[in-house]
Amino acid sequence: MSNNSGITPVEYKCLVLPEKVEEKTQGGILLSAKLQEQDQLSETRCQLIALGGMAFEDWKDGQLPQAGDRVMIAKYSGILCRGNDGEEYRVINDKDIIAIISPEVKP
């Protein structure tokens, strides 16, 4: 996974790119503020972009997240920052990653 943000996390920090919340359906219908608010839950799903040098060092689990993985994070974790590429990223602690999302299985 390429890091075009210009942001390099340090120590136990990770850089993630939250998934976008849609304001319109594919058919062009605008979603209400309430529906958009409900979809904010999807912001807890992110692409793991970069890891600090000590990230996951003290994790005992055999399966560790890697750059490029889709992960689920605690909703209000980390700080928001804008990368050089104009995208809005979050810098979070490694402990704020609560799950690795498996790739979608298509029948």
Side-chain angles (χ1 to χ4, degrees):
M1 170 113 259
S2 177
N3 181 3
N4 298 324
S5 70
I7 302 167
T8 303
V10 297
E11 290 190 337
Y12 297 98
K13 305 292 185 197
C14 299
L15 181 68
V16 295
L17 179 61
E19 292 181 357
K20 303 267 189 248
V21 175
E22 298 297 326
E23 295 179 9
K24 292 182 184 180
T25 65
Q26 287 183 339
I29 299 171
L30 291 174
L31 297 174
S32 70
K34 182 168 175 76
L35 283 174
Q36 287 182 34
E37 184 177 327
Q38 289 174 345
D39 283 348
Q40 290 290 334
L41 292 176
S42 71
E43 277 195 348
T44 61
R45 294 174 184 255
C46 303
Q47 186 83 28
L48 185 56
I49 303 298
L51 309 171
M54 298 169 67
F56 311 116
E57 189 173 86
D58 58 346
W59 281 34
K60 304 295 183 212
D61 190 9
Q63 185 179 8
L64 300 177
Q66 300 176 8
D69 285 349
R70 285 183 69 224
V71 296
M72 193 174 296
I73 65 170
K75 184 170 183 172
Y76 297 106
S77 62
I79 60 165
L80 294 173
C81 51
R82 189 165 306 279
N84 291 342
D85 56 2
E87 295 286 345
E88 195 159 289
Y89 294 87
R90 282 190 187 183
V91 177
I92 62 171
N93 291 319
D94 60 357
K95 297 287 187 193
D96 290 330
I97 294 177
I98 56 177
I100 300 170
I101 301 170
S102 299
E104 292 182 29
V105 179
K106 295 183 182 180

